[in-house]
């Protein structure tokens, strides 16, 4: 109930409502600044610029409205759940089961009707999310009423299995897609954690975890490329693409940490180093082949060269630290810098300015850290390290600025041509 | 990324989805309902058919993460004299064998196949050992958490750990087979929980919590 109260309080205050709208306004302002810049450069005429701005304003307004309605729906559901929870002991077990069943049937029928009419997309989204949540609470209720000894991982697994068709058929928005993806990754993580122990030894568990962490995002990415997903669920396709690439890039970046001590420990768990080498190479190689085959197959539908390049690079960089038993902070930094250098170069070629800036910033920070690591024991050494790191960072920033100017000039020349 | 998909995508899956949209929609809504119906009927029938073996429990730490809703305990098996109490001799085939009265029966750990051949057990629960737990001395059948509503759970949990009350639970096992001897089961369920030999549900229904 507290949530509903806060939501009403929040929504009633015009001042706070304006704060909520600020996010949307900022996005429009960013577009506005860019449009002004392009107009000054003569890339856009005033009419087109106004049309783009009007479109963005309308889009942000609908985003805000949808977001607020979804938040409202969620708060109502949470409120109802809390009221039921507060009076839980008053209900008999049959009453709980029957009431939940009736609730599920009612929402299902309502959703079917709304989905059939196709006139209320926001209501359809709220009902889908509601039913998705009700499926989970029903699983929990059965576990509670019949005193089942199930695990959270198994409950989530069953929930995902029975709810996949529902989400795929009725959900449309990116918001639902992200919630579903978070639930999917959480389920995969908990399943690995709880049922991975069923495997004979720790090395087998590592191989399973490595395989799943590579192929789950890859499967989702391939799903994003499918015509069915692209045509009927474009928001889901976009969310699949973003999470998969994010998972791979973050995974490859974090894998450099294995050069500190992780990889040698994993290799020690293996029956022999040769077995470890073969297993890691085989899984990584399989992922690379899968990426290459998917790229070839889906290139007939769209141009995914940049994405597949990032995935290929990330998979290769994820496997690299696992193949080595060397422990070195310099190698860890080198791995990270090379990875982000390559990502930056690909982004530059693709025209993704944000990623180029991000890669430069990350490389600079990583170099800064390695200097602190190398010279960080005594005060004197730390001082020298910080001076060198600072100098290197300034040098990098200057180089980056020169590089950006060079790109800008090159772009101008190409435009002139 | 801007999709360059043509307006009419030539794909068998797209055509199938468009042709059977209504049935796919019905299936997506009916599937969870069918699953829940199957689950509820299965558990209700198991509660009726399964045989209850009442075993004493004792308090145990660490407590459940949702403490205040669950009582956490471990079984205080009444081990039969001279019976094996760890599974290390039986490798992966290790069963909990229950004999005698349904309340506080004699318990022992046996090789599952031998127990089935010799028909020495009235209740037989198989515990599969995998991974490093194989040589674990403390046999566990799981089922060590009992959901109790918030009025009683926290206090009962505390009293159990402080040995202020005696508690036992019904472990439900698959019924006997055609020959009258125990069927081996891999899955056990929990039945009623008793406080000083009185069912908890009856205590809660009558609002007779002895510790309030």
């Amino acid at each position: 109930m507290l949530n509903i109260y806060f939501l009403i309080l929040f929504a009633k205050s015009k001042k706070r409502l304006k704060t909520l709208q600020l996010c949307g306004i900022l996005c429009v302002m960013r577009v506005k600044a860019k449009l002004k810049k392009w107009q000054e450069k003569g890339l856009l005429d005033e009419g087109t610029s106004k049309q783009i701005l009007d479109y963005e304003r309308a889009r942000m307004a609908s985003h805000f409205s949808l977001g607020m309605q979804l938040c409202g729906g969620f708060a109502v559901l949470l409120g109802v759940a809390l009221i039921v929870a507060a009076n839980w002991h008053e209900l008999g077990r049959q009453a709980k089961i029957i009431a939940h069943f009736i609730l599920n049937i009612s929402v299902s029928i309502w959703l079917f009707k709304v989905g059939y009419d196709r006139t209320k997309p926001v209501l359809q989204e709220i009902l889908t999310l509601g039913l998705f949540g009700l499926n989970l609470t029903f699983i929990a209720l059965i576990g509670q009423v019949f005193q089942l000894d199930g695990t959270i991982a198994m409950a989530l697994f069953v929930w995902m299995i029975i709810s996949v068709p529902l989400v795929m058929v009725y959900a449309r928005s990116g918001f639902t897609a992200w919630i579903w993806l978070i639930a999917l990754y959480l389920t995969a993580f908990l399943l690995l954690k709880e049922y991975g122990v069923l495997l004979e030894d720790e090395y087998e568990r590592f191989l399973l975890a490595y395989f799943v962490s590579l192929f789950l995002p890859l499967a989702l990415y391939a799903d994003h490329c499918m015509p069915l997903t692209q045509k009927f669920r474009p928001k889901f396709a976009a969310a699949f693409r973003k999470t998969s690439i994010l998972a791979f890039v973050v995974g490859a970046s974090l894998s450099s940490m294995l050069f500190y001590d992780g990889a040698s420990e994993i290799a020690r768990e293996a029956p022999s180093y040769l077995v470890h080498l073969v297993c890691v190479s085989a899984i990584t190689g399989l992922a690379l082949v899968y990426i290459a085959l998917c790229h070839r197959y889906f290139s007939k539908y769209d141009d995914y060269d940049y994405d597949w390049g990032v995935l290929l690079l990330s998979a290769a960089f994820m496997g690299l630290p696992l193949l080595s038993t060397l422990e070195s902070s310099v190698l860890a930094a080198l791995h990270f810098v090379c990875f982000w250098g390559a990502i930056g170069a690909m982004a530059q070629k693709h025209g993704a300015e944000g990623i180029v800036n991000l890669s430069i910033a990350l490389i600079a920070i990583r170099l800064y850290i390695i200097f602190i690591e190398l010279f960080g024991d005594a005060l004197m050494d730390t001082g020298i390290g910080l001076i060198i790191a600072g100098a290197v960072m300034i040098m990098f920033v200057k180089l980056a600025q020169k590089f950006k100017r060079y790109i800008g000039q090159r772009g101008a020349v190409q435009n002139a041509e | 990324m801007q999709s360059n998909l043509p307006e009419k995508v030539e794909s068998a899956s797209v055509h199938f989805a468009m042709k059977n949209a209504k049935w796919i929609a019905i299936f997506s809504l009916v599937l969870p309902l069918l699953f829940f119906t199957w689950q509820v009927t299965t558990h209700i029938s198991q509660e009726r058919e399964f045989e209850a073996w009442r075993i004493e429990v004792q308090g145990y730490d660490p407590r459940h993460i949702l403490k205040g809703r669950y009582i956490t305990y471990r079984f205080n098996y009444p081990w039969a004299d001279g019976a094996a109490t760890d599974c290390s001799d039986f490798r992966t085939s290790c069963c909990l064998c229950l004999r005698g009265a349904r309340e506080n029966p004699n318990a022992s750990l046996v090789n599952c196949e031998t127990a089935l051949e010799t028909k020495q057990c009235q209740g037989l629960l198989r515990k599969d050992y995998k991974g490093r737990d194989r040589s674990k001395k403390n046999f566990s059948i799981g089922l060590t958490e009992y959901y109790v509503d918030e009025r009683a759970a926290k206090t009962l949990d505390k009293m159990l750990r402080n040995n202020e009350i005696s508690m036992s639970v019904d472990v439900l096992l698959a019924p006997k087979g055609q020959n009258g001897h125990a069927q081996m089961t891999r899955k056990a369920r929990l039945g009623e929980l008793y406080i000083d030999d009185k069912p908890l549900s009856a205590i809660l229904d009558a609002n007779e919590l002895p510790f309030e």
Side-chain angles (χ1 to χ4, degrees):
Chain A
M1 289 308 285
L2 210 61
N3 291 38
I4 300 171
Y5 172 74
F6 277 124
L7 196 80
I8 293 165
L9 199 74
F10 206 70
K12 272 189 175 174
S13 161
K14 279 184 179 176
K15 199 176 170 186
R16 283 170 183 162
L17 200 63
K18 277 182 182 171
T19 317
L20 274 176
Q21 284 174 325
L22 192 67
C23 175
I25 292 166
L26 279 174
C27 295
V28 176
M29 274 171 70
R30 207 167 64 182
V31 176
K32 202 175 176 181
K34 285 220 162 190
L35 289 174
K36 198 179 169 190
K37 205 172 166 185
W38 291 337
Q39 238 177 292
E40 281 169 6
K41 294 277 177 190
L43 298 168
L44 267 181
D45 59 69
E46 203 183 330
T48 317
S49 170
K50 197 178 171 302
Q51 276 179 337
I52 294 171
L53 207 60
D54 288 345
Y55 168 76
E56 281 300 319
R57 274 189 183 134
R59 198 175 65 90
M60 288 317 298
S62 70
H63 264 220
F64 176 72
S65 159
L66 178 68
M68 284 302 286
Q69 287 184 71
L70 284 176
C71 282
F74 181 68
V76 169
L77 279 177
L78 202 64
V80 171
L82 286 176
I83 291 167
V84 173
N87 298 289
W88 200 235
H89 55 269
E90 301 293 342
L91 301 167
R93 44 185 272 171
Q94 281 106 332
K96 286 173 191 170
I97 295 277
I98 291 168
H100 209 307
F101 201 77
I102 290 170
L103 189 64
N104 272 47
I105 289 176
S106 310
V107 178
S108 299
I109 293 169
W110 193 6
L111 181 58
F112 181 73
K113 198 177 174 309
V114 169
Y116 196 78
D117 294 344
R118 291 184 186 179
T119 50
K120 294 170 183 164
V122 176
L123 180 63
Q124 182 176 328
E125 211 64 34
I126 292 171
L127 288 175
T128 309
L129 266 177
L131 196 55
F132 184 49
L134 281 172
N135 283 347
L136 181 64
T137 54
F138 208 164
I139 291 169
L141 179 67
I142 289 172
Q144 196 184 81
V145 163
F146 295 104
Q147 301 288 355
L148 304 179
D149 192 34
T151 60
I152 293 172
M154 192 44 78
L156 288 177
F157 178 66
V158 171
W159 177 47
M160 292 306 288
I161 295 287
I162 61 169
S163 302
V164 162
L166 164 79
V167 174
M168 293 304 150
V169 168
Y170 286 102
R172 299 282 188 280
S173 75
F175 179 75
T176 315
W178 278 96
I179 286 185
W180 185 79
L181 280 166
I182 291 167
L184 179 74
Y185 275 100
L186 184 69
T187 306
F189 173 75
L190 287 177
L191 274 175
L192 276 174
K193 196 170 170 282
E194 284 186 23
Y195 293 92
V197 290
L198 293 177
L199 286 172
E200 198 62 34
D201 64 25
E202 279 192 29
Y203 189 69
E204 285 176 14
R205 272 176 248 162
F206 154 73
L207 288 179
L208 178 71
Y210 183 49
F211 182 86
V212 173
S213 61
L214 279 174
F215 280 90
L216 180 63
L218 280 181
L220 283 171
Y221 190 83
D223 196 359
H224 141 264
C225 298
M226 284 173 72
L228 195 72
T229 323
Q230 288 273 335
K231 188 173 171 68
F232 293 110
R233 297 291 175 271
K235 297 270 173 67
F236 268 70
F240 287 177
R241 173 181 174 261
K242 278 180 192 165
T243 47
S244 312
I245 291 178
L246 191 71
F248 258 59
V249 170
V250 170
S253 305
L254 291 179
S255 69
S256 67
M257 304 296 282
L258 290 168
F259 276 113
Y260 285 97
D261 59 356
S264 54
E265 262 182 36
I266 293 165
R268 269 198 292 276
E269 294 283 344
S272 72
Y273 181 65
L274 187 69
V275 172
H276 172 69
L277 214 62
V278 170
C279 290
V280 170
S281 307
I283 294 173
T284 313
L286 206 63
L288 296 176
V289 170
Y290 180 83
I291 293 168
L293 287 176
C294 282
H295 177 222
R296 200 174 155 189
Y297 178 76
F298 289 115
S299 59
K300 66 185 173 192
Y301 296 117
D302 212 333
D303 175 23
Y304 300 116
D305 284 355
Y306 173 61
D307 287 6
W308 289 116
V310 171
L311 291 174
L312 211 64
L313 189 78
S314 304
F317 269 82
M318 254 192 269
L320 267 177
L322 290 166
L323 295 173
S324 162
T325 52
L326 291 171
E327 290 178 15
S328 159
S329 53
V330 177
L331 273 178
L334 196 68
H335 175 271
F336 187 91
V337 168
C338 287
F339 173 68
W340 276 100
I343 289 283
M346 285 170 73
Q348 185 259 319
K349 201 176 164 190
H350 185 70
E353 193 189 346
I355 304 292
V356 174
N357 292 340
L358 179 71
S359 64
I360 291 167
L362 286 174
I363 289 169
I365 292 167
R366 191 64 185 90
L367 286 172
Y368 192 72
I369 291 168
I370 187 65
F371 274 100
I372 292 173
E373 279 177 347
L374 288 177
F375 299 101
D377 278 344
L379 279 175
M380 184 68 183
D381 293 343
T382 310
I384 295 168
L386 282 172
I387 291 166
I388 296 171
V392 169
M393 210 167 157
I394 292 166
M395 192 181 80
F396 258 92
V397 172
K398 292 283 177 197
L399 273 174
Q401 283 173 344
K402 273 192 178 177
F403 186 57
K404 280 176 85 174
R405 267 201 298 276
Y406 166 72
I407 294 169
Q409 282 166 2
R410 217 173 128 186
V413 171
Q414 278 174 352
N415 280 337
E417 284 170 1
Chain B
M1 182 184 285
Q2 189 62 45
S3 173
N4 298 323
L5 277 175
E7 200 58 36
K8 193 179 172 187
V9 180
E10 291 298 331
S11 162
S13 52
V14 172
H15 286 302
F16 177 81
M18 290 176 84
K19 202 177 169 186
N20 300 293
K22 190 180 166 187
W23 292 110
I24 292 171
I26 291 172
F27 170 77
S28 73
L29 294 171
V30 167
L31 176 71
L33 295 172
L34 285 177
F35 170 78
F36 293 132
T37 311
W38 169 66
Q39 279 283 296
V40 171
T41 49
T42 305
H43 292 309
I44 288 173
S45 72
Q46 278 184 356
E47 272 185 347
R48 284 184 190 146
E49 289 169 12
F50 278 24
E51 291 174 347
W53 296 83
R54 198 183 303 178
I55 301 173
E56 267 188 33
V57 295
Q58 62 186 47
Y60 178 63
D61 272 328
R63 280 172 289 164
H64 194 272
I65 194 165
L66 293 172
K67 58 180 183 293
R69 296 282 189 282
Y70 283 87
I71 298 172
T72 313
Y73 53 81
R74 65 178 160 199
F75 289 100
N76 197 6
Y77 294 113
W79 295 117
D81 291 337
T85 53
D86 80 67
C87 283
S88 48
D89 293 339
F90 310 125
R91 301 290 291 170
T92 55
S93 174
C94 187
C95 276
L96 175 71
C97 169
L98 299 171
R99 275 179 293 185
R102 290 291 175 80
E103 284 184 34
N104 281 326
N106 284 326
S108 57
L109 295 177
V110 292
N111 181 299
C112 301
E113 282 68 39
T114 314
L116 275 176
E117 279 172 23
T118 56
K119 302 178 183 177
Q120 55 179 302
C121 306
Q122 290 164 284
L124 196 61
L125 176 68
R126 185 176 184 129
K127 176 70 184 174
D128 288 325
Y129 275 92
K130 284 177 181 168
R132 294 193 170 180
D133 276 349
R134 188 177 289 170
S135 60
K136 199 171 157 186
K137 299 280 178 194
N138 291 325
F139 180 85
S140 169
I141 58 165
L143 305 170
T144 54
E145 292 159 5
Y146 199 97
Y147 174 80
V148 180
D149 75 56
E150 62 186 356
R151 287 176 300 165
K154 205 172 176 180
T155 321
L156 279 176
D157 201 25
K158 195 177 168 190
M159 290 178 91
L160 182 67
R161 275 184 290 116
N162 293 340
N163 291 321
E164 291 169 26
I165 44 169
S166 80
M167 203 182 273
S168 53
V169 291
D170 278 343
V171 175
L172 306 176
L173 298 182
K176 284 174 184 166
Q178 288 178 338
N179 300 328
H181 75 277
Q183 280 184 325
M184 186 169 62
T185 179
R186 288 168 191 272
K187 186 87 180 151
R189 297 249 332 270
L190 283 174
E192 186 62 81
L193 183 134
Y194 300 87
I195 298 166
D196 296 330
D197 289 329
K198 209 169 174 186
L200 178 67
S201 56
I203 295 172
L204 290 174
D205 286 346
N207 246 337
E208 287 176 356
L209 294 173
F211 37 81
E212 278 192 336

